Amino acid sequence: MSAALQVDPNFPDLTDDIDTQNDIFIDVFNSGDGALFDRLYRPDAISNFSGAPLTGAERKAWFEAFLAPRPHLEATLTHAYVAGDVSLIGVTFVIERTDEDGVKRKLIGSCTDVLRRGEDGRWLMAVDRPVMQPSE
């Protein structure tokens, strides 16, 4: 992770600063630490990253397996709206990864995410809905 961000691995916070939030999300994803990445999500959050809606232990296990080979994420914000304790963001992304056969692949898509600020003041992912383009 970039030294400038200083992400607390016990309490990662996506923050209400949209640009910093995107940097944190990218850095934690690119760390390869699926358990840390899962801490960016509320316990009841839903992620469709796997292609199916996952929550809780299933979501965490999927992130751990997917991030273990350290795919590389690049993401660009397309829009962001904050209303009180809810944030709606959109991003376009490219993930470069090596598949089980050693073939390099690119996953390209866009994502609509909903974040919530909890009672503790931390911003965490509530809904993660990436949509992938067809594979190359």
Side-chain angles (χ1 to χ4, degrees):
M1 282 182 273
S2 62
L5 291 177
Q6 301 297 318
V7 174
D8 181 341
N10 295 311
F11 298 101
D13 184 348
L14 287 175
T15 188
D16 60 357
D17 179 289
I18 301 301
D19 292 323
T20 301
Q21 172 187 290
N22 194 47
D23 292 342
I24 291 168
F25 194 85
I26 291 168
D27 276 7
V28 174
F29 183 99
N30 289 338
S31 77
D33 186 337
L36 177 60
F37 188 72
D38 189 65
R39 284 189 217 120
L40 296 176
Y41 290 72
R42 295 169 49 94
D44 61 349
I46 298 169
S47 174
N48 194 46
F49 200 98
S50 70
L54 299 178
T55 192
E58 286 181 310
R59 182 191 64 233
K60 180 182 176 189
W62 191 88
F63 285 151
E64 289 174 332
F66 184 80
L67 295 179
R70 297 188 63 128
H72 181 79
L73 170 68
E74 292 184 19
T76 303
L77 286 165
T78 59
H79 59 275
Y81 307 101
V82 178
D85 66 351
V86 177
S87 176
L88 174 67
I89 62 171
V91 297
T92 57
F93 63 87
V94 176
I95 298 171
E96 294 182 1
R97 62 187 296 260
T98 303
D99 69 14
E100 304 79 31
D101 299 322
V103 177
K104 292 195 181 254
R105 303 270 184 212
K106 279 188 183 182
L107 301 172
I108 300 170
S110 60
C111 196
T112 302
D113 297 327
V114 177
L115 288 83
R116 297 274 326 240
R117 182 175 39 217
E119 291 179 16
D120 61 359
R122 296 173 58 228
W123 285 90
L124 297 173
M125 190 73 68
V127 178
D128 180 20
R129 187 179 177 273
V131 177
M132 311 290 179
Q133 294 178 4
S135 299
E136 297 178 357

